[in-house]
Amino acid sequence: MLLTYQPPYDWQWMTAFLGARALQGVEQQDGEDYQRTLAVIHHGVRLTGWLRLRPLEDVNSVELEVSPSLVPVADIVARQVRRLLDLDAQPLLIAEGLGVLAENAVGLRLPGCINRFELTVRAILGQLVSVKMAATLATRLTEKWGEPVTTPFPALTHLFPSPASVGKLTVDDLRGIGVQAKRAACLINIALAVEEGRLPLDEITDVQDGVRQLLAMPGIGNWTASYVAMRAWSAPDVFLGGDYLIKQRFPGMTPGKIARYAEVWKPWRTYATLHLWFNNDWQPDTP
């Protein structure tokens, strides 16, 4: 199956982003190929398997292959891949809205996700730790409580743990793999809310309402809720002004002043956040 997109697309950047965060046993970035395990609920039936994708830059497309077990839901998987790779973005329109900030990286896309619960768990695990440590914690979680799955890829061995399986854990279970107690309690609470339908991560259509629901959960702060909105719901206009690295880009500015400055990038402040993270040379205009 070929999934088309509007060029330009910075595949080197996206490949590096996904590769640096690849969850051992669940994901693998193998050269240009990206592959992972996944489960899809369709008409109340849970189907499990794998996908593999490869960019075909000469035809502005992504080649998607799914396991035989997922062929009946290939269209659903294709939509998930479009979200993961931000294939529906209009890069020239976004770059025009961001001006100087985006002029050297017009092909930058917003990395989304295949599994919104997985992304939310990983965002919580990533609070105040490095990208590498967050991936390590998620790997331990998967190895211990993820469902084993058979694939033709030696590196793909497990499905990410389901909300039901995480909801059954105790704080001490999670402390045993290195998760701090308050964060462990937060993860269990989120998993139970998703499993019981109180936090419908896959049905959120109003991003602001989704963020409010996340913020109502103990242990979820502004950064985490905003990060989930960006990557799980592909929200294009979320600005992570409180992020440590973003604040470094605006030396001497108060949070309020940074937020006002960022209004120039509406309605593409999510993309502005990405560019600020990865553009070490950018400096704000001084009034």
Side-chain angles (χ1 to χ4, degrees):
M1 182 186 299
L2 289 184
L3 310 178
T4 60
Y5 61 84
Q6 181 182 323
Y9 196 117
D10 189 341
W11 282 109
Q12 185 177 358
W13 183 87
M14 181 62 83
T15 297
F17 185 96
L18 295 177
R21 292 159 180 78
L23 177 48
Q24 198 174 319
V26 173
E27 299 174 283
Q28 182 185 33
Q29 185 72 54
D30 182 15
E32 286 194 328
D33 288 9
Y34 169 85
Q35 49 226 20
R36 68 159 291 146
T37 63
L38 68 160
V40 179
I41 307 292
H42 184 55
H43 296 318
V45 179
R46 183 171 175 269
L47 304 176
T48 64
W50 52 266
L51 66 81
R52 177 164 60 174
L53 55 88
R54 173 185 300 149
L56 303 176
E57 292 190 65
D58 53 335
V59 290
N60 300 323
S61 299
V62 174
E63 181 181 50
L64 171 63
E65 179 185 0
V66 300
S67 60
S69 58
L70 294 179
V71 167
V73 290
D75 287 348
I76 295 175
V77 177
R79 288 198 295 273
Q80 291 175 309
V81 170
R82 295 196 73 85
R83 181 175 74 223
L84 171 70
L85 300 175
D86 200 17
L87 296 181
D88 294 322
Q90 297 178 278
L92 299 178
L93 180 66
I94 294 167
E96 183 183 350
L98 296 181
V100 175
L101 178 62
E103 65 184 5
N104 294 325
V106 177
L108 202 65
R109 302 284 174 127
L110 170 61
C113 71
I114 294 290
N115 177 331
R116 291 186 174 102
F117 174 68
E118 174 188 319
L119 186 279
T120 303
V121 168
R122 296 185 65 175
I124 294 165
L125 290 175
Q127 293 171 347
L128 304 177
V129 300
S130 68
V131 167
K132 186 175 180 181
M133 188 60 203
T136 297
L137 292 172
T139 296
R140 292 174 186 166
L141 182 75
T142 301
E143 287 174 343
K144 208 159 175 63
W145 295 291
E147 179 186 331
V149 63
T150 301
T151 76
F153 311 107
L156 302 187
T157 57
H158 288 76
L159 295 165
F160 189 80
S162 66
S165 60
V166 176
K168 291 174 184 171
L169 301 179
T170 66
V171 169
D172 282 344
D173 287 334
L174 289 167
R175 286 182 65 197
I177 62 166
V179 180
Q180 184 251 7
K182 281 188 178 177
R183 209 158 294 154
C186 175
L187 284 176
I188 294 165
N189 189 35
I190 289 279
L192 288 171
V194 172
E195 177 64 15
E196 295 165 5
R198 292 181 284 112
L199 181 64
L201 291 174
D202 287 325
E203 275 79 58
I204 297 291
T205 53
D206 181 330
V207 171
Q208 292 305 317
D209 182 53
V211 167
R212 280 193 292 273
Q213 290 187 53
L214 285 172
L215 289 173
M217 298 278 170
I220 299 283
N222 278 311
W223 186 95
T224 305
S226 297
Y227 187 78
V228 170
M230 288 170 61
R231 295 198 55 203
W233 302 321
S234 304
D237 196 32
V238 174
F239 188 68
L240 284 185
D243 179 80
Y244 175 77
L245 184 52
I246 298 296
K247 287 191 285 190
Q248 300 295 103
R249 298 284 189 252
F250 297 88
M253 282 197 191
T254 63
K257 198 166 184 180
I258 294 171
R260 286 191 294 276
Y261 190 106
E263 289 185 6
V264 71
W265 294 313
K266 285 182 176 180
W268 307 114
R269 285 176 294 180
T270 294
Y271 292 90
T273 298
L274 283 177
H275 282 279
L276 288 167
W277 272 341
F278 296 99
N279 186 342
N280 296 325
D281 299 325
W282 183 84
Q283 292 182 329
D285 294 326
T286 49

